[in-house]
Amino acid sequence: MATPSAEARCAFCGDNIQPTKKGGGRPKDYCGPKCRSRAHQQREREPETARPPRDSWQVIVNDLTTRARRLDLVGSGRLAVVAELTEAMRYDVACLTAVAVDEARHEGWTWAQIATQVGVPEASARAHWGGSRVAARVAGRVPAQAPPPDALHDPPPIGRGAGHHPLALPRASGDVRALGCALYTLHQRSGTSLDRIAAVTDLPPTALSRLLDGTLVLSWSEVYMVAHALGGEPADVRLLWECAWGQPSVADPRDGTGRLAAALRGARLAAGSPGVAASCPPGVDPADLRMALQGRITLDWPVLRDVVVGWGADPRRFKPLWKAARVERHTLREGVRRP
């Protein structure tokens, strides 16, 4: 006697269905008349109005995308995380099918039509998605984990070593691209391979590549390591990182000049590090811009605004730093005058 396959189970009680002696023919959906009758009674009692939330499809697709991005960052080296993510994605895919079936039912499709499209017997389609089963299945999903609010300032790293956690913000915006361009300029200047940077920082090469492409933002501690490994000053890309991460800090007058100079150097890196003379507006001495980049002077606001606009940066990001630098210099002058 042939052994029943793993799929030959009763659609009501789940027990194995014993094959018929003759064999062949259409597979049975129930192990006997009793389960068939009970399944029919259950379907009659279930409320057909129970439906999943209207935005379920988009929510599930978004969660699938988030989990796929995390898999891309984690790689195949962390088996426990990969297993957890793939199992959640498998359940999400099943939920998407269920939501599509539910939508078809409420557009007037018969169970026979749905069964034909999905490729299962009609009774199995009813048993899987009839009544409130779709709503219950969707309600049983585990949403994709989002970064906690306090992680926006300095989240855990995403490196490959033990104790690391995959946490980053996949984004696509001008601020993210600006950070990527600045780091890419440092990378081109350093001549160091990504594999070498990955070995030094303990970051996945995929994450590094996307960071330099301007499609991914890592934590500040990781961007700090990358900038340092590329031979740059991490402070120069701090403002770029804050804007890319969506958490610009409040300008502090106690270090206004230094932060303004660093932000200017970062904006220049993001523009591809053009020459100083070529970056000066008409009538501005390149020596003044060099000293401003060194933090030795503070340019007048109209001049500084024209410089950063020429580099493709948003001058509104620099106005608070410029004001803080002016306050700092004014305070220093006042301090010198006082006995």
Side-chain angles (χ1 to χ4, degrees):
M1 180 180 295
T3 303
S5 66
E7 297 179 351
R9 294 181 177 275
C10 177
F12 182 79
C13 69
D15 289 344
N16 286 336
I17 299 177
Q18 297 299 323
T20 59
K21 294 182 180 180
K22 294 181 179 180
R26 180 178 173 277
K28 292 184 177 180
D29 297 312
Y30 302 100
C31 58
K34 184 179 292 186
C35 281
R36 180 183 297 277
S37 176
R38 288 178 177 176
H40 175 75
Q41 293 173 8
Q42 185 181 67
R43 289 195 299 269
E44 292 298 322
R45 291 194 300 266
E46 286 177 339
E48 288 292 335
T49 56
R51 300 193 64 189
R54 297 182 63 181
D55 62 344
S56 294
W57 179 271
Q58 193 59 54
V59 169
I60 298 171
V61 169
N62 290 343
D63 282 357
L64 270 171
T65 303
T66 299
R67 288 178 169 125
R69 285 169 173 167
R70 287 190 62 192
L71 280 175
D72 184 26
L73 291 174
V74 172
S76 59
R78 300 183 62 196
L79 180 57
V81 178
V82 171
E84 177 186 355
L85 289 172
T86 53
E87 181 61 29
M89 293 174 72
R90 190 177 295 112
Y91 192 90
D92 283 345
V93 171
C95 285
L96 284 179
T97 303
V99 170
V101 169
D102 180 79
E103 190 66 29
R105 281 290 295 161
H106 285 80
E107 288 180 358
W109 286 40
T110 65
W111 282 113
Q113 291 173 320
I114 290 173
T116 301
Q117 291 291 318
V118 179
V120 299
E122 180 180 345
S124 295
R126 287 178 178 272
H128 279 92
W129 302 300
S132 59
R133 287 184 179 83
V134 173
R137 182 184 292 269
V138 172
R141 285 183 63 254
V142 177
Q145 292 292 326
D150 58 354
L152 291 176
H153 296 285
D154 197 11
I158 68 164
R160 294 172 294 196
H164 290 278
H165 304 284
L167 183 56
L169 293 183
R171 293 177 173 173
S173 71
D175 291 326
V176 178
R177 287 192 294 272
L179 174 62
C181 287
L183 294 173
Y184 179 80
T185 300
L186 290 176
H187 179 234
Q188 293 294 101
R189 183 185 298 173
S190 70
T192 308
S193 67
L194 279 184
D195 289 338
R196 173 61 180 166
I197 302 302
V200 171
T201 60
D202 196 32
L203 291 171
T206 302
L208 285 173
S209 178
R210 293 178 61 190
L211 176 65
L212 269 60
D213 286 345
T215 58
L216 182 72
V217 186
L218 304 181
S219 72
W220 170 241
S221 61
E222 289 160 337
V223 171
Y224 184 101
M225 289 192 301
V226 172
H228 188 269
L230 292 173
E233 288 293 332
D236 294 354
V237 298
R238 176 73 194 200
L239 179 63
L240 294 170
W241 175 84
E242 289 176 353
C243 295
W245 198 264
Q247 292 289 315
S249 61
V250 179
D252 188 349
R254 291 173 296 182
D255 189 28
T257 303
R259 287 211 63 193
L260 176 60
L264 287 172
R265 294 193 297 269
R268 186 183 175 204
L269 285 172
S273 196
V276 172
S279 302
C280 289
V284 177
D285 189 346
D288 290 342
L289 179 55
R290 289 192 184 94
M291 288 191 289
L293 289 168
Q294 296 167 1
R296 296 168 57 188
I297 66 171
T298 301
L299 298 173
D300 292 336
W301 173 245
V303 176
L304 187 144
R305 179 194 59 208
D306 291 345
V307 169
V308 297
V309 168
W311 286 335
D314 187 348
R316 293 173 297 181
R317 303 280 169 77
F318 292 82
K319 191 66 175 284
L321 297 176
W322 178 83
K323 289 181 178 179
R326 297 284 292 213
V327 170
E328 181 187 26
R329 291 192 177 278
H330 177 74
T331 302
L332 290 174
R333 287 197 299 268
E334 290 295 314
V336 171
R337 291 175 185 174
R338 292 174 182 173

